[in-house]
Amino acid sequence: MSLLRTRATTARPAVARIPGERALLGAMGVDSVGSGMYIPFSLVFFHHITGLSFAVVGAVLTVVGLIGMGALPLAGTAVDRYGARRVQLLLYGVRGTGFALYPFATSLPAFAVVALGTAFGDRAFPAVQQAYIGEVASGVDRDRLQAAARALRNAGLGAGALLASLVITVAGDRGFTAAAWLNALSFGVAALLIRSISASRVPDGSATAERPAAGYRLVLADRAFLGLTAANFLTALGYSALAVLFPLFIAGTLNGPQSLTGAAFTVNTVLCAVGGVHVAGRVRGRGARRTRSAALGAVIFAAAFVGLGVFGAARPQAGWAVAGGVFALVALYTVAELVHNPSSSALAVAAAPEALRGRYMATYQLSWSLAATLAPSLFTALFAADSRLPWAVLTLTALCAAALLLRLEPHLPAAAVRLAPLPVPPCPVPTPTPALAA
């Protein structure tokens, strides 16, 4: 009996949830499933539901994507003025309306208008969600929610892709219309879940804090945060490699089957969904500094890119060697993602002043949007010159990002950088978490 008591007193308690956490995570999951129904094959998706050619669809999506980045500064200002929850609900409405209208937007002008409105919502949403996490959680809870959000994103995208494949198989071309409306429905359900979270009290005093009149001038004057954004841009280029470079690498350099590309995506998605929360929990439990864990993730990215360059130069002939090498390197790439993403995201949220969190997150999100916009043309140009060149460039950018993060560490707020390890209480009853009403 005494042994059992001893073990009970040293056991780590169950993680206490913040108020509204289940609804918040549920909204993230539903949103991701809906998005997964069109993201993996967006060109084919929009071609079928609008009837426009692939070339026209691609050109429209590129142009509206670039214009849509202009929504980020507006969304940041709105978050600081009205709160992230209200803006998030508005964006759910914009995105849901866009996908509900896509099947009727069969002419080029109509498609361009609907796509532009949806692009505004899609580009602004991640920054608003980051700001909302910053409002409802603090400390280790932010890191935990960031990891859970990443895991749910990957799991939801995979489940949505499978669901869309099933719908299209059963309904044929009409399945694309059904997928568009199901995605619109997912945004509506996610909005209802967010609305169910109490808004009677705003955590961290962000609603009552005095709003500086300078706005984005203060953000642009914060050199440490701009450096953090630059470091994330350098790493974000590596995140784009999975969608842009891996298909070229597998089919072009390795002469592997296209099915191997889909398998590589599946490995990444499954590992992120299964291991995301666990890896982030290990980092939190050890009390690692967010700057250093994010830098470690960037270094692991660099190792994966070096491995891909060397593997491509070796050009193995055996099919099993090609598949085994690709899966091993994708696994290493995914570990880098799991280590880097929760820490870097939580670091950005924690480094932002509460009164200007919306504007700060909008600025930080530009690093993701700009990297995703530049990656296709950059990678294809480098690959055309030399198939090893993209991996060399990505290795350099990842190492530069790691070095920049370490250099910025003393210039960032100490509370944002340092994360105390999770305490082990003297009894198995967890200490109640202070109320953080969403």
Side-chain angles (χ1 to χ4, degrees):
M1 180 68 69
S2 61
L3 177 61
L4 292 177
R5 288 178 179 173
T6 301
R7 288 179 177 175
T9 59
T10 58
R12 189 179 298 277
V15 176
R17 293 181 178 271
I18 62 173
E21 180 176 334
R22 292 183 186 276
L24 176 60
L25 294 177
M28 293 178 183
V30 173
D31 179 353
S32 297
V33 171
S35 298
M37 299 187 72
Y38 81 96
I39 285 180
F41 33 76
S42 56
L43 281 177
V44 177
F45 179 88
F46 289 118
H47 164 71
H48 278 278
I49 64 173
T50 64
L52 299 171
S53 68
F54 288 112
V56 170
V57 170
V60 170
L61 292 180
T62 299
V63 172
V64 300
L66 291 171
I67 298 174
M69 291 173 61
L72 280 166
L74 299 177
T77 302
V79 166
D80 292 334
R81 180 169 297 180
Y82 303 108
R85 180 175 178 271
R86 291 182 179 179
V87 180
Q88 189 168 5
L89 289 172
L90 174 63
L91 294 181
Y92 272 137
V94 170
R95 298 163 78 201
T97 301
F99 276 89
L101 292 176
Y102 268 129
F104 305 104
T106 55
S107 67
L108 178 57
F111 175 60
V113 170
V114 175
L116 181 59
T118 308
F120 270 94
D122 285 340
R123 289 293 187 272
F125 187 81
V128 176
Q129 182 168 275
Q130 292 289 322
Y132 190 44
I133 290 176
E135 286 184 4
V136 302
S138 61
V140 295
D141 285 327
R142 281 180 182 163
D143 297 71
R144 181 171 54 80
L145 284 180
Q146 295 287 357
R150 188 72 181 178
L152 282 171
R153 178 70 175 172
N154 282 277
L157 289 176
L162 290 175
L163 179 59
S165 299
L166 177 62
V167 171
I168 293 167
T169 299
V170 173
D173 287 350
R174 290 178 299 176
F176 288 99
T177 298
W181 286 341
L182 285 173
N183 190 26
L185 178 63
S186 75
F187 293 135
V189 173
L192 290 176
L193 287 170
I194 295 297
R195 281 184 61 86
S196 70
I197 302 174
S198 173
S200 59
R201 290 172 293 175
V202 178
D204 299 338
S206 58
T208 58
E210 184 179 351
R211 306 294 186 190
Y216 279 103
R217 281 184 293 171
L218 287 180
V219 182
L220 296 177
D222 192 337
R223 298 178 64 182
F225 191 85
L226 293 181
L228 190 63
T229 303
N232 191 68
F233 168 75
L234 295 174
T235 313
L237 287 171
Y239 278 82
S240 300
L242 187 63
V244 180
L245 263 182
F246 271 79
L248 296 174
F249 175 71
I250 292 172
T253 304
L254 301 178
N255 294 317
Q258 289 290 350
S259 59
L260 189 56
T261 301
F265 275 92
T266 302
V267 169
N268 173 262
T269 300
V270 171
L271 289 179
C272 283
V274 173
V277 176
H278 174 72
V279 171
R282 292 293 297 271
V283 173
R284 291 196 314 272
R286 294 179 182 275
R289 299 182 188 182
R290 290 184 175 120
T291 43
R292 298 187 183 184
S293 55
L296 174 60
V299 170
I300 300 174
F301 267 126
F305 298 142
V306 169
L308 286 160
V310 172
F311 189 64
R315 296 178 185 271
Q317 299 300 315
W320 62 267
V322 172
V326 168
F327 290 150
L329 290 167
V330 167
L332 182 61
Y333 174 95
T334 306
V335 170
E337 185 177 338
L338 297 178
V339 173
H340 172 268
N341 189 269
S343 295
S344 64
S345 299
L347 175 63
V349 173
E354 294 174 6
L356 288 173
R357 185 178 287 130
R359 290 176 172 88
Y360 269 71
M361 290 300 96
T363 303
Y364 187 76
Q365 184 60 30
L366 281 173
S367 63
W368 289 105
S369 297
L370 188 59
T373 301
L374 294 178
S377 57
L378 175 63
F379 292 162
T380 52
L382 292 173
F383 191 86
D386 189 322
S387 61
R388 297 166 295 183
L389 194 54
W391 304 121
V393 170
L394 285 175
T395 300
L396 179 62
T397 57
L399 292 177
C400 287
L404 183 55
L405 283 166
L406 296 179
R407 185 176 180 83
L408 289 170
E409 185 176 286
H411 305 287
L412 292 167
V417 171
R418 295 182 178 272
L419 183 63
L422 295 175
V424 179
C427 65
V429 180
T431 302
T433 303
L436 298 176

